[in-house]
Amino acid sequence: MSDRHIWMNMQLNRQPNVLIKLSQDKWKIGTKCIAHFTEAGQLAYYRTVILNVDMKLGLAQVFYIDYGNEMEIKLEELMDYSEHLINCGIKDEPPLAIECTLAEIQPSARLNPKGYWSKDSISVFSNYFEDKSCIALIYSIVGNVMSVTLFKPEKLEKVDEFSHNLSFNHEFVERGFAEMAEEPYLSRENHVMRTMAQKSPEALKLYTPSYLPDDPYAHFQFEPPSEKECQTKVLLKGPKSPLEMSLYSLSKKCLGKEVQVEWNSVNSVLLDNVPMDTHDRLMVAAHVTQSSSSDRLTLRNTTLLPNMHGLPSLMVLLFAPKVELRTDPEREELTGALCGLGFDPESGDSYHPENDVEIMFDTKFNLEDLENINKLRFWMNFIVGDALYNNLETCSPRIIQAQRKIKEYLLILINKKRPSRAQTMFDNSFAWDQLPQDVLLDPLGPKSSSSTSIYSLIWGVELSSGPKFSKIEAIKSHLELLQGYSDGADVMRTGTKCELCQVYVDDLQALRLHLQTNLHKTNLIQFSCTFN
């Protein structure tokens, strides 16, 4: 507890006449007042602000502005500031408790699928900072909430600048308690403003935040029409929330159809609590029905899976009978996969085109992931009695071994941290046999015979060792141009595309925000390692 805390508490509690009853006309939201709090059997008074009032029950929800906790208090027990306390400056003293959040990270979905901080992560955080000092690097301040990066002072003694790799945020991610996350739009915008103000206060005057729009109709006073003028009925729909998630089907025959969850389901309205996260999420349904007009699908008995990055792509790669990988034109990385029952080698036509699934990776998969996926598919084939891997003499110990192997490789794949990537559409979607035979890698070796497995092992792709020198130089020049736009050294006249992330931005403001995303920062680090 700081000296300021101690002094204010002494002023509030040492004299019985410094507090007066809060009058009823002040029983409203936002009123600064004083409320009691009992700790270890001792009652004391502290500064609060009213958050909510329930006149029927005679209760008020108050926030203790110097400590950060909330509590319900009877309205008649609320106290007001006396002249003595006002003259001491206690009423107008800024709050000593500031709500903060850790910048650019979020709770690990693997430890808590609901998106909350796990007990272990809270315990580690408390051990680090409870009753200890730390250094907070402010990322942004939005809605009185400060987004910060925390540092322990002893880690900064030998360095001249704040390095993210030395921060507690980075350590939390490395230890698996958290994962990288994009900051909300307003937070990134505030960060851009703060960065510009540090570089040049004059440049900040030219920047107009998106949440302070210039409304050209603000001075107009519109009157509602009379009842006689209202002659047309309009069917209103809604209300709609901008946080409401939309659903779509993965299979080809259901593309373009409206997808909704049954109205009486708890999942009928899905709100995205992390709207800045652009990764796909997976929902599974036990029953799917189609409308009479065949333009709408209704899902029943649904489950929304945790927001684990790359999970939808991983599930399809694990359980699709046949998989053909997609790459970028230069064959530098895997960009997606076509999944289904395969195709006729002679005609090239899909065996069941309606049920084919074309997925675009939003996280990076490599050949190591493919190897683990094939190992898992191998043991699944063993379990289901594949003739290639199984025989009639298989005993229960072998089945138990297969189950353990499946669990082992599944955990490896799920727990792996994959960097994000922008989704890119393959030119010939839903077309099989698109890769040259000389770049395909047979998972069973060159002398293997054709397999009749239920889960055929996925053929790999021989990727290029890295981008060509000319492309590296072109991307470097492009990044310098984007940075020049952001700093104001050059004029950005039209929208442009970040060639590093394959993301299109409409204007200068969107460009500055994109340069602050984790996607761009991660790609920039990897690109720097490539040409260094």
Side-chain angles (χ1 to χ4, degrees), residues 104-371:
E104 299 184 292
I105 66 173
Q106 65 185 11
S108 172
R110 295 168 179 82
L111 297 182
N112 192 319
K114 294 183 178 180
Y116 302 132
W117 291 108
S118 64
K119 292 182 179 180
D120 291 339
S121 62
I122 295 175
S123 176
V124 170
F125 183 87
S126 300
N127 292 335
Y128 258 73
F129 298 110
E130 189 172 9
D131 298 327
K132 299 175 184 177
S133 61
C134 67
I135 297 175
L137 182 64
I138 300 176
Y139 181 90
S140 65
I141 302 177
V142 178
N144 296 324
V145 178
M146 187 181 297
S147 185
V148 298
T149 302
L150 298 181
F151 296 87
K152 298 188 73 174
E154 55 268 25
K155 286 193 174 184
L156 298 176
E157 292 178 353
K158 298 181 180 180
V159 295
D160 297 329
E161 59 181 13
F162 293 94
S163 173
H164 182 74
N165 293 338
L166 299 176
S167 68
F168 174 79
N169 302 39
H170 177 75
E171 183 176 340
F172 229 33
V173 173
E174 290 297 311
R175 295 180 62 176
F177 294 113
E179 54 192 35
M180 299 300 295
E182 297 292 353
E183 281 291 301
Y185 181 86
L186 294 182
S187 176
R188 282 183 283 139
E189 193 167 46
N190 183 266
H191 179 71
V192 171
M193 294 177 63
R194 299 173 66 85
T195 304
M196 292 181 61
Q198 291 176 350
K199 292 181 179 179
S200 172
E202 295 297 325
L204 187 62
K205 298 178 181 179
L206 304 176
Y207 186 81
T208 303
S210 63
Y211 53 86
L212 296 175
D214 184 15
D215 187 359
Y217 304 103
H219 62 282
F220 286 99
Q221 297 293 331
F222 295 98
E223 294 293 334
S226 63
E227 187 174 350
K228 293 181 179 180
E229 294 175 313
C230 300
Q231 300 176 354
T232 305
K233 291 185 178 181
V234 178
L235 180 63
L236 299 180
K237 295 183 179 181
K240 291 286 186 179
S241 169
L243 299 180
E244 187 173 350
M245 290 190 284
S246 58
L247 303 175
Y248 67 93
S249 175
L250 290 176
S251 60
K252 182 179 180 180
K253 66 179 179 181
C254 296
L255 291 179
K257 294 184 179 181
E258 179 186 355
V259 181
Q260 62 181 20
V261 181
E262 192 175 25
W263 66 271
N264 58 356
S265 169
V266 293
N267 291 329
S268 59
V269 177
L270 297 171
L271 297 181
D272 190 357
N273 59 341
V274 193
M276 53 281 186
D277 189 348
T278 58
H279 294 83
D280 290 335
R281 295 188 64 176
L282 186 63
M283 170 177 277
V284 294
H287 301 91
V288 180
T289 58
Q290 186 173 251
S291 64
S292 57
S293 57
S294 301
D295 61 348
R296 184 174 66 254
L297 302 177
T298 301
L299 312 182
R300 294 178 176 85
N301 304 111
T302 58
T303 299
L304 182 64
L305 298 186
N307 186 20
M308 300 173 64
H309 297 173
L311 182 62
S313 300
L314 179 60
M315 290 297 102
V316 176
L317 293 176
L318 287 178
F319 298 107
K322 299 284 186 179
V323 176
E324 180 178 307
L325 296 174
R326 305 298 202 194
T327 69
D328 59 335
E330 294 80 14
R331 280 194 295 107
E332 294 175 358
E333 63 174 344
L334 302 176
T335 61
L338 176 60
C339 308
L341 294 178
F343 66 99
D344 185 350
E346 296 183 1
S347 64
D349 296 333
S350 173
Y351 285 132
H352 207 314
E354 291 185 343
N355 287 335
D356 285 348
V357 172
E358 182 86 38
I359 56 173
M360 296 179 291
F361 296 157
D362 55 11
T363 57
K364 294 186 178 181
F365 285 85
N366 53 30
L367 296 182
E368 180 185 352
D369 296 319
L370 183 61
E371 181 180 353

Side-chain angles (χ1 to χ4, degrees), residues 379 382-383 396-408:
W379 287 109
F382 185 91
I383 288 289
S396 58
R398 294 282 290 169
I399 297 295
I400 295 175
Q401 179 192 12
Q403 292 173 342
R404 290 174 177 171
K405 287 293 184 180
I406 290 175
K407 179 180 179 181
E408 174 187 346

Side-chain angles (χ1 to χ4, degrees), residues 408-422:
E408 174 187 346
Y409 292 120
L410 184 60
L411 290 177
I412 290 175
L413 290 166
I414 289 180
N415 292 328
K416 181 177 179 180
K417 299 175 183 177
R418 295 181 179 83
S420 301
R421 66 175 306 276

Side-chain angles (χ1 to χ4, degrees), residues 441-481:
L441 304 176
D442 189 347
L444 296 176
K447 297 183 180 180
S448 63
S449 58
S450 60
S451 171
T452 58
S453 307
I454 295 178
Y455 301 106
S456 299
L457 300 188
I458 304 173
W459 285 54
V461 181
E462 185 178 356
L463 300 176
S464 302
S465 57
K468 297 180 180 179
F469 179 77
S470 58
K471 183 178 179 181
I472 292 177
E473 291 299 317
I475 293 180
K476 286 176 62 177
S477 300
H478 176 71
L479 292 175
E480 292 174 357
L481 178 63

